[in-house]
Amino acid sequence: MKANALVKIGLSQRIFGVGPQVAEKLCSKVGIYPQMRMSELTESQILSINKELNNLTIEGQLKQKINENIQLKRSIGTIAGMRHASGLPVRGQKTQNNSSTARKLNHLNRHV
Amino acid sequence: MLKIWSRGISTSRVMSAPKHVGGKSKVKQGFKGNSSAKEKVKKSGMTHLKFKDAVRELKFEKFASKVELPILKSESTNGDVVKYSKTVKSKLEQLGSFKKYQHHEAFEEPISLVSNNLINLKTEFFKNFGKDSNKFILKGEHRVGKSTLLTQIQALSKTQFPQVLYLHFSDVGKIRDGSNDYIFNKRLGLYQQPMFTKRFINDFRIANKEVLKTIKLSKDIKFTANKVHYDYKAGENTLYEFLRNCKDFNLKEATSSFQFFIEELKATSVPKLITIDNFNAVTTKPITEYKTTDFEPTHVTEFEMGKFIYNLIDNTLVLPNSGILLSESSDYGKSRNLDIGLGADYNAYELNALDSITIETLLKGKINVFQVENFNKAETSKLLEFYNKCGVLQLRDYVYNQRLPTQVEQGIDLSQLIELNYVKSGGNPGLLFRHVALNY
């Protein structure tokens, strides 16, 4: 993480599963002021951020959870699961043109 | 006809190429010699800052032409271009009264013009100084000189009351914008901002050093700072000693030092000038950027400093022998909270967008509105004459208008120039400077 980045931005950009709002909530819970930079964090604050992050489903756990959900949809034979398997948009988008993102991302093992 | 195409192969370039060594090139083992280290190339330019900030940082005022000016006094008359006395200037600099982007770099020292605004405000403000009703807010259009007027009143208060204490907030927006740390004080039920409080107390202490040394404490107090235990007695030790040695303002724990400081201010009868610049930063958005631990928004009055300011305005906290001067800023957008708090009418449809706490506080405070007007033609001409004397007045080197003089050597017909600039700026000092010195 960049040393001069705002804490809430640094957290949301680097940790999978922590978005801007979660990062802001986390900061307010720990008592970090909104304009605080990464370099200004004390050791105790870093520890308390870590403690809060442990209670969240992030990074590997979250990726695994997403993969499991896709797998479940596939195994029970839902349309969403089949669309994932065929690498096509899941939520009713058109496919004649512009489904490149879905073709790129929608797989059974999305996060490997 | 058979034409033989022959490819012209030149061998000279191949011969001159270095010998190819098969496989990986051998790397010499050992330490890198100093000769291989690249020397640091000095970059051009004097600062990393952009032009607007660079003129301030590089102190361009050193290169300004020297002009003798009178010092701002209560006897100064309309149209006088004045400077601040050395002692007052150092105090105002410490308090942050001279702001950046006010183009102080154009002159050797910060200057100002004694306008009708100052003369009117001076008589009104100092007439009732010390009464609860002595609260004024400066309103006016962008770049009209509200902050400068505030600074002038600060300077004049020193001539009016030599023992005056300056309580100055240069930008109250910093209470709410999330740039300072915050701690919840359970005993007070308020959030404290150690970084903001420390800076405020530090500026206050340095700017009011002489006066604070004469004020004795009204209560005993004990505290520890830097492993030294202090036991100050009432009537013996001074407020300056307390502010200098007490480090609790910057403590990352809940403390009651600021409350003690307020109690001491209440106990002294020394004249106090409370000036709050950019006041509408708080009234426009009273909900701060800070959140509670449950991620709920916080109001300015939940903060120690915000509460202090609101209490001063609605007379919950009365400092004896004081006057309050507020100033709005056009940087913070428009909000109806301030207008309605100052007595404007409202309709039912806008109630959701209003803040009742702020409006009630302002209505209780009964603040007088002082409308800051643009300069009249006589004042504009005086200022332009001074600019010409300083060499700030710039002329176009091409014919913009047939009436304009094109060469300085021919002698400037100031009357034409004054007329043109007065029409262009409408007497607004900020725009006038822009037309004359920046966009010439």
Side-chain angles (χ1 to χ4, degrees):
Chain A
M1 290 179 200
K2 276 185 183 174
N4 64 345
L6 292 179
V7 176
K8 59 183 177 185
I9 289 172
L11 290 175
S12 64
Q13 280 181 347
R14 289 286 166 180
I15 301 170
F16 185 84
V18 177
Q21 201 167 3
V22 172
E24 218 169 311
K25 274 184 185 175
L26 208 142
C27 287
S28 62
K29 199 168 187 183
V30 175
I32 290 167
Y33 60 93
Q35 298 292 319
M36 195 177 201
R37 306 269 164 184
M38 278 290 181
S39 55
E40 294 167 9
L41 284 171
T42 59
E43 263 189 42
S44 61
Q45 281 169 333
I46 292 168
L47 286 173
S48 48
I49 287 173
N50 274 334
K51 200 179 164 188
E52 289 300 323
L53 285 173
N54 285 337
N55 299 332
L56 300 173
T57 315
I58 51 165
E59 290 289 338
Q61 284 178 345
L62 182 61
K63 285 175 183 175
Q64 198 184 346
K65 195 182 167 188
I66 292 167
N67 282 338
E68 281 170 8
N69 288 345
I70 295 169
Q71 193 61 48
L72 175 68
K73 280 176 183 172
R74 174 73 179 130
S75 62
I76 59 175
T78 60
I79 292 173
M82 278 150 64
R83 300 292 282 180
H84 265 292
S86 52
L88 289 168
V90 177
R91 296 177 187 182
Q93 296 98 320
K94 61 180 183 176
T95 50
Q96 189 173 356
N97 302 311
N98 303 335
S99 57
S100 53
T101 310
R103 285 174 211 275
K104 200 163 59 187
L105 299 175
N106 288 1
H107 300 292
L108 282 179
N109 285 327
R110 185 163 181 161
H111 298 287
V112 181
Chain B
M1 201 173 84
L2 184 70
K3 195 175 180 181
I4 299 166
W5 292 91
S6 65
R7 195 175 161 202
I9 298 169
S10 165
T11 53
S12 62
R13 284 198 177 255
V14 179
M15 294 296 282
S16 62
K19 258 190 176 180
H20 174 70
V21 183
K24 285 182 181 176
S25 58
K26 281 183 181 176
V27 181
K28 271 188 178 179
Q29 286 187 334
F31 296 103
K32 271 186 179 178
N34 283 333
S35 57
S36 63
K38 280 183 183 174
E39 282 183 17
K40 274 191 178 178
V41 182
K42 200 180 177 184
K43 286 180 184 174
S44 62
M46 294 175 282
T47 171
H48 64 283
L49 297 167
K50 288 186 178 174
F51 182 74
K52 269 175 96 177
D53 292 315
V55 286
R56 182 174 48 85
E57 190 66 24
L58 296 170
K59 297 188 176 173
F60 271 34
E61 63 269 16
K62 283 187 290 187
F63 310 110
S65 57
K66 290 179 182 177
V67 180
E68 283 293 316
L69 280 175
I71 288 166
L72 178 63
K73 289 174 188 167
S74 46
E75 299 88 47
S76 300
T77 53
N78 187 13
D80 287 356
V81 180
V82 288
K83 64 177 182 180
Y84 302 95
S85 69
K86 261 189 181 178
T87 48
V88 170
K89 194 184 131 197
S90 64
K91 288 178 198 303
L92 296 179
E93 273 174 350
Q94 183 64 44
L95 292 167
S97 300
F98 301 123
K99 296 186 172 181
K100 58 179 182 179
Y101 310 143
Q102 282 185 331
H103 301 294
H104 294 300
E105 72 280 353
F107 314 99
E108 197 190 6
E109 285 184 61
I111 61 120
S112 62
L113 182 108
V114 180
S115 62
N116 274 331
N117 292 322
L118 178 62
I119 291 166
N120 294 338
L121 180 63
K122 184 181 72 178
T123 48
E124 281 185 48
F125 186 68
F126 290 125
K127 192 170 66 184
N128 293 324
F129 196 88
K131 292 179 185 172
D132 293 352
S133 60
N134 195 25
K135 293 192 194 89
F136 282 89
I137 182 160
L138 309 181
K139 294 191 85 182
E141 62 185 56
H142 187 42
R143 292 168 179 272
V144 79
K146 299 178 287 291
S147 295
T148 306
L149 192 56
L150 201 77
T151 313
Q152 285 177 323
I153 290 291
Q154 280 181 312
L156 281 179
S157 65
K158 196 72 185 170
T159 57
Q160 205 83 9
F161 312 105
Q163 286 282 306
V164 72
L165 271 180
Y166 293 119
L167 273 152
H168 180 65
F169 292 90
S170 59
D171 188 2
V172 280
K174 283 181 181 166
I175 295 173
R176 61 155 302 282
D177 69 356
S179 58
N180 296 292
D181 55 347
Y182 67 123
I183 302 157
F184 188 68
N185 189 330
K186 279 184 186 170
R187 200 176 63 79
L188 296 172
L190 293 169
Y191 286 96
Q192 292 182 321
Q193 294 166 299
M195 273 156 55
F196 185 86
T197 314
K198 181 201 153 192
R199 280 182 203 138
F200 172 74
I201 291 290
N202 204 33
D203 291 343
F204 172 80
R205 177 177 59 80
I206 296 168
N208 300 301
K209 192 176 175 181
E210 298 85 23
V211 184
L212 286 173
K213 279 183 177 176
T214 61
I215 300 170
K216 301 280 183 194
L217 293 178
S218 65
K219 286 178 186 170
D220 295 350
I221 187 162
K222 291 174 185 176
F223 58 90
T224 312
N226 297 336
K227 294 176 185 174
V228 181
H229 186 70
Y230 294 92
D231 189 1
Y232 285 157
K233 300 282 178 199
E236 281 180 29
N237 297 94
T238 60
L239 188 55
Y240 180 79
E241 282 176 281
F242 167 70
L243 295 176
R244 180 160 175 71
N245 294 322
C246 184
K247 309 289 179 197
D248 289 358
F249 297 107
N250 194 28
L251 213 62
K252 306 289 178 199
E253 293 164 14
T255 169
S256 58
S257 303
F258 193 72
Q259 299 303 318
F260 180 79
F261 168 69
I262 295 170
E263 290 298 317
E264 289 304 310
L265 285 181
K266 273 164 79 176
T268 58
S269 58
V270 171
K272 296 162 208 80
L273 178 67
I274 301 152
T275 44
I276 302 170
D277 208 350
N278 301 355
F279 178 64
N280 61 332
V282 175
T283 56
T284 309
K285 289 176 184 170
I287 304 297
T288 65
E289 297 287 321
Y290 299 96
K291 298 278 190 326
T292 62
T293 47
D294 303 329
F295 203 60
E296 280 171 8
T298 50
H299 196 270
V300 183
T301 46
E302 290 176 50
F303 288 80
E304 193 178 35
M305 276 291 179
K307 186 89 178 166
F308 174 59
I309 290 169
Y310 272 56
N311 284 352
L312 282 172
I313 288 163
D314 68 1
N315 291 336
T316 313
L317 170 68
V318 180
L319 299 180
N321 202 7
S322 66
I324 299 176
L325 197 56
L326 315 169
S327 166
E328 72 163 1
S329 166
S330 36
D331 295 345
Y332 289 95
K334 286 190 176 177
S335 159
R336 296 277 294 144
N337 288 333
L338 186 63
D339 292 337
I340 294 166
L342 296 173
D345 290 333
Y346 65 95
N347 61 48
Y349 295 109
E350 58 181 348
L351 279 175
N352 281 342
L354 300 174
D355 182 56
S356 59
I357 300 171
T358 306
I359 292 170
E360 278 169 21
T361 306
L362 291 167
L363 285 171
K364 268 187 204 172
K366 291 174 187 167
I367 302 167
N368 305 306
V369 178
F370 185 87
Q371 199 68 35
V372 183
E373 302 291 341
N374 284 328
F375 288 169
N376 57 30
K377 202 173 175 184
E379 288 166 348
T380 311
S381 66
K382 289 263 184 186
L383 195 60
L384 279 175
E385 278 168 23
F386 171 74
Y387 284 167
N388 186 30
K389 213 170 153 186
C390 292
V392 175
L393 189 66
Q394 304 287 340
L395 294 176
R396 289 171 191 277
D397 54 355
Y398 59 92
V399 179
Y400 169 72
N401 190 320
Q402 287 298 319
R403 291 182 300 146
L404 268 175
T406 51
Q407 286 181 357
V408 184
E409 291 79 18
Q410 287 174 356
I412 306 162
D413 186 5
L414 265 176
S415 61
Q416 284 182 0
L417 214 59
I418 289 163
E419 213 164 278
L420 182 78
N421 281 309
Y422 181 66
V423 172
K424 280 203 293 188
S425 66
N428 185 305
L431 285 179
L432 188 72
F433 188 85
R434 218 182 222 194
H435 288 311
V436 159
L438 303 177
N439 297 344
Y440 63 91

